[in-house]
Amino acid sequence: MWIVAIGWAYVVILMAATETSVIAGIMTFFGYGVLPLSILFYLAGAGRRRRRRADASARRPDGVAGDSAGAD
C-alpha cells in the first residue's frame, strides 16, 4: 500500500506544480492528494484498530473496554 500512496503523492505533486496559480496548486494538492490518501489510510487501519480494541478489552479483568480514569 505504501508504494501506491507514494506514487499517487508524486503524481499529485506534479499536477499541483503545473497549475496556473499557487491557490489552484494548493487546492489540487489537498483535493487530489491529502484528502484521498487520508481516507485510504483511515480505511486501511480499520482492522488494526478493531484488533487493538478487542485485545484491550480481552486483557481487562471485567471484559469492559474503555478508559478507567476517573472511575472510583
Side-chain angles (χ1 to χ4, degrees):
M1 183 179 90
W2 284 103
I3 192 71
V4 172
I6 292 169
W8 182 247
Y10 176 74
V11 169
V12 169
I13 289 170
L14 292 180
M15 286 172 50
T18 61
E19 290 291 340
T20 57
S21 70
V22 174
I23 299 298
I26 291 170
M27 294 303 291
T28 298
F29 179 72
F30 281 105
Y32 288 118
V34 174
L35 183 64
L37 285 177
S38 64
I39 293 170
L40 175 71
F41 285 130
Y42 178 77
L43 292 176
R48 188 171 35 242
R49 286 190 305 274
R50 190 178 311 118
R51 279 191 304 275
R52 190 179 307 137
R53 192 177 311 123
D55 289 344
S57 66
R59 274 183 287 197
R60 290 192 43 146
D62 58 0
V64 177
D67 187 18
S68 62
D72 293 321

